[in-house]
Amino acid sequence: MELEMYIKIYRRYNWIQLPWDSPQTWWLCLFGVDFAYYFVHRLGHEVNLFWVAHQVHHSSQEFNLNVGIRQSILQQYFAWIFYLPLAMCIPPSIFLVHIQFNLIYQFWVHTEVIDNLGPFEYIFNTPKHHRVHHARNPQYINKNYGGIFIVWDRIFGTFQEEEEIEVYGLTDPIDSWNPISIQLFSIYKSIKRCWKTPGILNKLAVWWKGPGWRPGAPRLGNKTLIPQVDHRTFVKYNYQASQLCQYYCLIHFILILVGNQLLRPYVQELNQTLILSAIFFIIFSLYSFGLLLEERSYAPIVEFCRCSLYLCIDLYLSASYIHTKSWSSSATAVRIMFLFSCCLWITTSLQTAIKKKVTCLMIDAGDLDKGIPYKGFYRDDKSDLHIESRFYDLRNRLHGSDATRKLHINDAERVWLLENIPRLAALIHVQPSLHDELDEEFYYE
């Protein structure tokens, strides 16, 4: 989209003709693209409408080269606007080279391996500067926006030196392996906040002011409300599925990549509906992998549906479009694997439904006379208890109520809670003092 819009503006408003083979033109484009990127990046942090896309890049609690390619699917739809003034004088071919070079340069700054680079640090963006930018420490918020050059931050007052060891991630972490949740969670959260905010102007301000803004607060929010963090005590989200589950997701992810490449030569023969179905299947696969890696209770059913969907698409393609021998042999092998996966997950679903023992939590809220059975919290005899999943579900159900909610649990669950209070305290801020309160009830605050 960036290049397409740039070419349109260049053809109509190219008022200054600069030679494409002049070194001055190339140098001008180098500084111009990075100058524009500074403001693209800054607005991506200071305007919530843009932050809901850019937050994907900051959602990781690690800081390594993988973060460099952890990007939003939505950010491209607003970033191109800031580069259009360059189209009045810079040829599109030169712009294309420099916009790619700008992104490639930023890849290597996502690392903790490289420390101080001496005088290089005064002019260029480096890993040391970019670690500050990705940190959630209060003093590091909204700092060091530069892409290639750090001088823009020094000029506009957004530069911050590295002073203490960083804690990475969002101040309100998503805590999920699911790529679809990571892409869309912040949008959902902002829409929900907009709906609850009183007043039309305040509802609009939710989007054009900072992500931390609330009515009555400064435009970028109140920094004193950002929680203090310490790298020595901070607990990262690190839910580990079984190794078999991880290998399964890896193999099927590779199958999708390979299948996508094998299908590309036939794209011209496929109708629009099939192309959209393939795109939906890829997105659905990423969602299903996220559920499996978090070992959600409904993940086997979702994965069974995904494998069944693949078989339907594959059979239709093989019968209607693709008849080559190489495709048939490859498709048969993959088809067998997906058939096996279907059998595996439907069997797993049935076993889980039979063997898991559901403990009903009776929720007494406000004026309710009768308890409401809640089945999101259970014990599976064959697997570890999934602390994060169970209590995140519980938190989401109880969050936002003005009434005091009381959870009645049996002796087995009381023992389990007592054993896991330290872990729960680290994960979802449950108070360790609950040891004394777990005689018959468990209070969530």
Side-chain angles (χ1 to χ4, degrees), residues 371-389:
I372 303 172
Y374 177 66
K375 298 184 179 181
F377 181 83
Y378 65 85
R379 178 186 294 270
D380 187 335
D381 291 340
K382 290 193 65 178
S383 63
D384 295 335
L385 283 170
H386 310 320
I387 299 175
E388 297 93 332
S389 301

Side-chain angles (χ1 to χ4, degrees), residues 81-137:
I81 300 172
F82 296 87
Y83 299 106
L84 295 184
L86 295 172
M88 293 187 293
C89 58
I90 303 294
S93 57
I94 299 178
F95 169 76
L96 177 61
V97 171
H98 280 285
I99 194 68
Q100 297 302 317
F101 174 69
N102 192 280
L103 294 175
I104 292 171
Y105 178 90
Q106 293 179 56
F107 176 71
W108 77 280
V109 300
H110 294 86
T111 180
E112 294 184 286
V113 176
I114 301 174
D115 197 13
N116 196 306
L117 295 178
F120 193 79
E121 305 268 354
Y122 290 102
I123 300 174
F124 295 97
N125 186 23
T126 64
K128 178 183 174 183
H129 296 323
H130 208 58
R131 286 195 292 270
V132 168
H133 175 72
H134 272 260
R136 55 170 288 183
N137 308 56

Side-chain angles (χ1 to χ4, degrees), residues 57-342:
H57 182 62
H58 284 262
S59 59
S60 174
Q61 295 177 346
E62 306 291 343
F63 190 71
N64 49 44
L65 295 178
N66 290 329
V67 177
I69 56 177
R70 186 188 182 104
Q71 299 293 336
S72 169
I73 59 176
L74 301 174
Q75 189 166 339
Q76 59 177 318
Y77 295 107
F78 73 85
W80 59 271
I81 300 172
F82 296 87
Y83 299 106
L84 295 184
L86 295 172
M88 293 187 293
C89 58
I90 303 294
S93 57
I94 299 178
F95 169 76
L96 177 61
V97 171
H98 280 285
I99 194 68
Q100 297 302 317
F101 174 69
N102 192 280
L103 294 175
I104 292 171
Y105 178 90
Q106 293 179 56
F107 176 71
W108 77 280
V109 300
H110 294 86
T111 180
E112 294 184 286
V113 176
I114 301 174
D115 197 13
N116 196 306
L117 295 178
F120 193 79
E121 305 268 354
Y122 290 102
I123 300 174
F124 295 97
N125 186 23
T126 64
K128 178 183 174 183
H129 296 323
H130 208 58
R131 286 195 292 270
V132 168
H133 175 72
H134 272 260
R136 55 170 288 183
N137 308 56
Q139 69 271 31
Y140 291 160
I141 299 293
N142 296 336
K143 299 294 182 180
N144 298 2
Y145 295 115
I148 295 177
F149 300 104
I150 201 66
V151 292
W152 312 124
D153 290 282
R154 296 183 186 275
I155 292 172
F156 295 109
T158 54
F159 177 74
Q160 172 66 47
E161 280 283 4
E162 186 178 46
E163 296 174 348
E164 64 179 44
I165 297 177
E166 297 87 354
V167 174
Y168 304 107
L170 304 175
T171 56
D172 184 14
I174 298 174
D175 291 336
S176 175
W177 297 138
N178 197 312
I180 307 303
S181 299
I182 293 171
Q183 290 281 346
L184 302 179
F185 176 78
S186 189
I187 299 175
Y188 164 77
K189 186 173 66 173
S190 295
I191 292 174
K192 187 176 179 180
R193 181 156 61 92
C194 177
W195 179 262
K196 291 184 176 181
T197 301
I200 298 297
L201 293 179
N202 284 336
K203 289 181 184 296
L204 294 175
V206 168
W207 299 101
W208 67 266
K209 289 188 177 182
W213 177 84
R214 298 294 185 274
R219 183 180 68 86
L220 298 181
N222 190 346
K223 269 197 171 184
T224 60
L225 299 180
I226 298 175
Q228 295 288 338
V229 287
D230 191 320
H231 73 280
R232 293 166 295 187
T233 57
F234 181 74
V235 179
K236 298 178 182 179
Y237 179 77
N238 191 31
Y239 185 82
Q240 294 293 324
S242 66
Q243 286 193 339
L244 285 176
C245 184
Q246 294 181 43
Y247 287 135
Y248 174 89
C249 291
L250 177 62
I251 291 171
H252 275 260
F253 182 72
I254 293 173
L255 284 176
I256 291 176
L257 294 179
V258 174
N260 181 65
Q261 294 302 313
L262 292 175
L263 199 61
R264 287 183 66 182
Y266 305 97
V267 168
Q268 299 299 325
E269 304 176 26
L270 304 179
N271 60 44
Q272 198 72 19
T273 303
L274 278 175
I275 293 175
L276 292 176
S277 299
I279 294 173
F280 171 78
F281 176 75
I282 293 173
I283 296 173
F284 187 38
S285 296
L286 296 176
Y287 172 71
S288 182
F289 296 158
L291 296 180
L292 289 172
L293 292 174
E294 294 175 355
E295 296 188 323
R296 299 288 182 177
S297 58
Y298 50 91
I301 292 294
V302 174
E303 180 61 10
F304 170 75
C305 294
R306 185 190 76 88
C307 294
S308 301
L309 177 62
Y310 170 82
L311 293 173
C312 294
I313 296 175
D314 173 61
L315 290 173
Y316 181 78
L317 287 175
S318 299
S320 305
Y321 289 92
I322 303 167
H323 305 285
T324 64
K325 185 176 181 180
S326 60
W327 172 268
S328 298
S329 58
S330 301
T332 301
V334 176
R335 197 175 299 144
I336 292 172
M337 182 173 293
F338 272 88
L339 280 170
F340 173 77
S341 298
C342 282

